[in-house]
Amino acid sequence: MAALDLFGRRWALRILWELRAGPLGARALLARCEGLSSSVLYQRLRELVASGIIAPSADGYELTPLGTALRDALRPLDEWASVWAKEQERDDQQPTEM
């Protein structure tokens, strides 16, 4: 349950998503996460570092081996979300009956 508590916190999964392709600094993360405040970013970064999922690096923050394993585990969820979004888009384009 501790993992769900961590990942359920606002912006945690988004930060991990943005780090999926490689390290990023705090400014880059703020730019990619519109609406994220710097105070919340630094709180989430501290939590994710403490959990062993990300680590500070010369280029900012990066996924650890544990974080990379999590990224790989979330890949099926990302694929499902893509299918779901297409279904939602298709439903939104259907004319509604009166």
Side-chain angles (χ1 to χ4, degrees):
M1 291 308 266
L4 292 178
D5 289 339
L6 176 61
F7 303 138
R9 292 187 181 141
R10 188 172 171 114
W11 297 105
L13 285 175
R14 177 65 185 270
I15 292 166
L16 294 173
W17 176 254
E18 295 300 338
L19 294 174
R20 74 192 181 283
L24 291 172
R27 284 188 178 181
L29 285 166
L30 282 171
R32 291 175 183 219
C33 300
E34 186 177 329
L36 173 61
S37 70
S38 60
S39 62
V40 171
L41 171 64
Y42 286 111
Q43 179 63 37
R44 293 300 169 266
L45 290 172
R46 281 191 297 275
E47 294 166 351
L48 293 166
V49 167
S51 70
I53 297 171
I54 67 170
S57 73
D59 298 320
Y61 293 88
E62 64 185 353
L63 296 176
T64 63
L66 188 60
T68 300
L70 173 62
R71 179 198 64 199
D72 295 343
L74 291 174
R75 198 165 271 137
L77 178 60
D78 180 47
E79 292 168 3
W80 175 88
S82 294
V83 171
W84 176 79
K86 288 177 186 172
E87 289 291 325
Q88 295 298 306
E89 185 177 302
R90 188 172 25 251
D91 289 349
D92 289 346
Q93 293 175 356
Q94 300 269 336
T96 57
E97 295 181 31
M98 296 197 145

